[in-house]
Amino acid sequence: MPTPQRVRQGMTLGLVFGAVLFAGAASGAWGEPDGSSRAPSSSEGPPPADLAGADLTPQQARQLVGDSGDRWAAYLSPQQYADLTGGRYAGVGLNVDREAGGPTLVAEVVPGSPAARAGIEPGQRLVTVDGAPAEQLPVTELVSRLRGGPAGSTVAVDVRDGDGPVRELTLTRAELSTREVEVEHPAPGVARIAVHAFTEGVAEQVRAAEAGSRGVVLDLRGNSGGLVGEAVDTASVFLDGGPVASYQVHGEHRELTAAPGGDTAVPLVVLVDGGTMSAAELLAGALQDRSRAVLVGSRTFGKGTVQQPSRLADGSVLELTVGRYQTPAGRSPDGTGVQPDVPAAGEDPQALALKVLDGLSGSAPGATGTPAAPAAPAAEAACRARPPPGRRGLRGR
């Protein structure tokens, strides 16, 4: 699928914890990913640019990240970057969740992973990682400790089930496959497409899953972000050209634009929650501003910053925040997130999304086997209240 020239000419952007570290986010959460970023494709821009100070040593690069005050800065060793570009990652298969001030809990365990083989289960508390208390570790440090070495290296973790005893475990990292897109059909003609992260090829998987559907629920809950080019290409599945987002780098205004020819007729509902972040927020905000989809769920995470990767002389990659992006209507989700059109408010979000989809489709017995839900008129009103695509006020490069 061709990508607009302005996207091809743009930098390769990462919108995720540490820019490329796909921390599997849940409500106010983060952790080790289900999958990881692959190499940017030619349609997404060039590989990481050479840094002006490319003679920085790894130690100096790490020091720069630590001293920058940049929450999303990251340093990736050549091996870590090679793992990412290969479409696989070395890890133990843990996603973790931590509410503000609360314990660090295991949110998900990748089937067949070292963590799964060790008997770690969702809901258990992650007490320490390599001897350091999990609650005292910042985001990037926790991810780095879990994924801090190649396959075959080890990491020590202590876990606890409820009030039971602490289990001391040594996990051996293994190469794990990415798992970004899952598709199911909750009703005839209805596709629920869950996208966990935006890695290379995700947009084409979404396009294939959407084809021929009479309605789509695009599930971005827990999506930690990823490659901006893939998020833009995913927007292109449902938009016929036009802006997806804009950002500024060193005072220069740039636009990210959808390719023409997307399916603008199929009813579309997007599921979001507190774990929807970065590139996923960019996509959700674009579809909302363009009145193309109804957002259902809860407020998104609120990360709207842009990182630029730069390759150092030894092949490692340094990523620093260079700006913030805005949705087509000029909103910045940074710190505030994207609000859903239809809050779940205690109702099962997926069931609610199917009700809203029934209303948008105008079907009598719909995906839930019941008449269209009362939520649909409110959702349609929310769409009408948003500015039309022609009032976005964005300018080209």
Side-chain angles (χ1 to χ4, degrees):
M1 178 178 64
T3 304
Q5 183 67 22
R6 279 175 288 188
V7 177
R8 289 200 302 268
Q9 291 177 343
M11 72 177 90
T12 302
L13 303 177
L15 299 179
V16 71
F17 285 137
V20 183
L21 293 177
F22 273 55
S27 179
W30 35 266
E32 188 183 355
D34 284 336
S36 66
S37 163
R38 298 174 188 160
S41 67
S42 59
S43 65
E44 292 168 303
D50 290 335
L51 189 67
D55 57 349
L56 288 175
T57 66
Q59 292 76 16
Q60 289 172 326
R62 291 191 186 95
Q63 185 68 35
L64 178 58
V65 169
D67 293 345
S68 67
D70 184 348
R71 180 183 182 189
W72 309 112
Y75 167 80
L76 300 174
S77 70
Q79 182 60 53
Q80 288 173 321
Y81 192 74
D83 290 341
L84 295 173
T85 57
R88 298 175 66 85
Y89 70 99
V92 297
L94 282 180
N95 286 353
V96 295
D97 184 359
R98 183 171 69 194
E99 299 289 346
T104 303
L105 301 178
V106 176
E108 184 180 0
V109 179
V110 176
S113 67
R117 292 194 296 271
I120 299 177
E121 297 179 353
Q124 294 180 346
R125 179 178 178 179
L126 183 63
V127 181
T128 66
V129 179
D130 276 341
E135 279 75 40
Q136 296 180 14
L137 294 175
V139 172
T140 53
E141 178 65 17
L142 180 69
V143 173
S144 177
R145 285 174 181 256
L146 290 173
R147 300 187 58 202
S153 61
T154 61
V155 57
V157 298
D158 290 353
V159 297
R160 186 175 187 177
D161 191 357
D163 294 329
V166 173
R167 296 175 60 207
E168 299 179 359
L169 301 170
T170 298
L171 304 179
T172 301
R173 298 182 182 92
E175 278 202 356
L176 302 176
S177 300
T178 59
R179 181 168 55 91
E180 296 93 349
V181 179
E182 295 178 298
V183 183
E184 64 177 15
H185 298 279
V190 174
R192 173 183 165 270
I193 308 171
V195 180
H196 303 300
F198 289 103
T199 59
E200 190 178 69
V202 160
E204 284 306 313
Q205 294 179 59
V206 172
R207 184 181 298 279
E210 180 271 345
S213 300
R214 71 171 179 86
V216 172
V217 175
L218 182 62
D219 193 343
L220 300 181
R221 292 176 296 174
N223 185 312
S224 53
L227 297 175
V228 174
E230 287 294 332
V232 172
D233 286 353
T234 301
S236 300
V237 175
F238 303 103
L239 296 173
D240 185 11
V244 175
S246 63
Y247 61 97
Q248 290 200 11
V249 177
H250 306 306
E252 180 184 357
H253 185 95
R254 305 180 184 182
E255 285 189 33
L256 300 170
T257 309
D263 185 347
T264 60
V266 65
L268 177 63
V269 172
V270 177
L271 272 169
V272 295
D273 68 1
T276 305
M277 58 184 297
S278 289
E281 292 177 280
L282 180 152
L283 172 61
L287 294 173
Q288 187 180 58
D289 282 2
R290 298 284 301 275
S291 297
R292 179 60 188 90
V294 174
L295 269 58
V296 173
S298 55
R299 183 177 69 87
T300 64
F301 182 85
K303 179 182 183 292
T305 56
V306 177
Q307 285 73 43
Q308 179 177 10
S310 301
R311 191 184 300 278
L312 277 64
D314 69 341
S316 58
V317 172
L318 175 66
E319 297 201 347
L320 298 174
T321 298
V322 294
R324 290 178 171 82
Y325 73 82
Q326 293 183 325
T327 68
R331 298 181 294 161
S332 170
D334 199 49
T336 59
V338 176
Q339 294 287 350
D341 299 305
V342 182
E347 187 171 352
D348 178 69
Q350 183 169 326
L352 179 59
L354 293 173
K355 291 180 182 179
V356 174
L357 189 65
D358 280 347
L360 296 179
S361 303
S363 55
T368 59
T370 59
E380 292 168 351
C383 281
R384 290 196 299 271
R386 292 196 295 271
R391 295 171 58 190
R392 291 181 294 273
L394 300 179
R395 61 184 177 86
R397 294 176 63 183

